[in-house]
Amino acid sequence: MHKIIAANWKMYKDRTQAATTAGELAAVLPEILPAGREVIVFPPFTAIESVARVFDGKKGLAVGGQNFYPAPEGAFTGEISIDMLRDVGAQWVLAGHSERRHVFGESDELVARKAVFALSHGLKTMLCIGEKLEEREQGSLYAVLERQLMAFFEARPDGMAGETLPGRLAIAYEPVWAIGTGKVAGPGEVREAHGVTRALLERFVGDSGKKLPILYGGSVKPDNAGALIALDNVDGLLVGGASLEAQSFLQIIGA
Ligand code: PGA
């Protein structure tokens, strides 16, 4: 399976800063990006177009939106639609990032509806899942991942069969306790959670579940990226803080 290295810039960078960092990536990546690796950057909304311009036509580089509302258009003050994201060059979206779930209170049901909506409207979707510290300590890792994934797989309309998902759906496993905390999950914990995720994907969509990439996210840094990406059930990385500087993100991409 090819590997996806994604950057989540959260609420950082204006247009100029975003274009500068994207330019630093685009200047070298087309030459050094190993075959079969894909890089996706999720800038804030206002900078998507700037990054898309810089990445345009560059092999292996894509841009995405961090959030959207699951309706074609309408009276939804403050929200943004899938078509609007596509219009500024987004090819991907995130759904269910832990900050959306836990800071903004998005439910499993809303996240599932958003992921289904984005896929039905032609954007590739990275569905984020992950447990909180107390859930891990209570031994409910399996139950949490099952609940989050089941919400999505059960919300799919009839036309969205498992076979249609590889190539346009990626899963990002991000333990909430490791996001922005500097506490990276150890190799054993990552291997276990990815194993659980893979088994659940296969339960929901059979063999197609083997072909959906599972990324790890949570305090990925240049010095731990190599060990994480080397794990045989890690198909990519979703990087927050360490993706803001081109040099640090490039080290992670090359790890
Ligand atoms: P972090 O963020 O790398 O800063 O922990 C990861 C994420 O939120 O996707």
Side-chain angles (χ1 to χ4, degrees), residues 160-201:
M160 195 180 283
E163 310 85 84
T164 68
L165 295 175
R168 56 197 197 111
L169 174 68
I171 307 297
Y173 166 68
E174 299 201 297
V176 179
W177 47 272
I179 297 179
T181 58
K183 268 188 227 153
V184 65
E189 291 166 315
V190 176
R191 202 182 276 118
E192 179 196 9
H194 281 231
V196 165
T197 304
R198 178 68 67 207
L200 286 163
L201 293 174

Side-chain angles (χ1 to χ4, degrees), residues 8 51 58 74 76 78 96 107 109 120-121 131 139 150 169 217 221 247 255:
N8 175 9
V51 174
K58 303 249 164 38
F76 301 107
S107 64
E109 182 278 326
S120 320
H121 290 79
E131 82 289 3
M150 192 181 317
L169 174 68
K221 306 287 176 219
Q247 281 322 312

Side-chain angles (χ1 to χ4, degrees), residues 102-126:
H102 304 301
V103 181
F104 300 101
E106 293 192 11
S107 64
D108 293 332
E109 182 278 326
L110 177 59
V111 169
R113 197 148 51 81
K114 290 172 78 165
V116 165
F117 190 90
L119 288 164
S120 320
H121 290 79
L123 281 200
K124 296 182 188 175
T125 302
M126 190 173 291

Side-chain angles (χ1 to χ4, degrees), residues 42-64:
F42 294 94
F45 295 139
T46 49
I48 293 176
E49 187 166 18
S50 313
V51 174
R53 283 217 179 101
V54 175
F55 283 2
D56 189 34
K58 303 249 164 38
K59 201 166 169 289
L61 304 188
V63 62

Side-chain angles (χ1 to χ4, degrees), residues 182-243:
K183 268 188 227 153
V184 65
E189 291 166 315
V190 176
R191 202 182 276 118
E192 179 196 9
H194 281 231
V196 165
T197 304
R198 178 68 67 207
L200 286 163
L201 293 174
E202 290 181 39
R203 191 176 106 200
F204 292 124
V205 286
D207 278 350
S208 304
K210 295 191 170 90
K211 298 184 204 137
L212 299 172
I214 306 173
L215 285 69
Y216 169 78
S219 296
V220 175
K221 306 287 176 219
D223 62 3
N224 59 30
L228 290 163
I229 198 79
L231 295 173
D232 58 8
N233 59 9
V234 171
D235 308 311
L237 302 169
L238 176 55
V239 189
S243 71

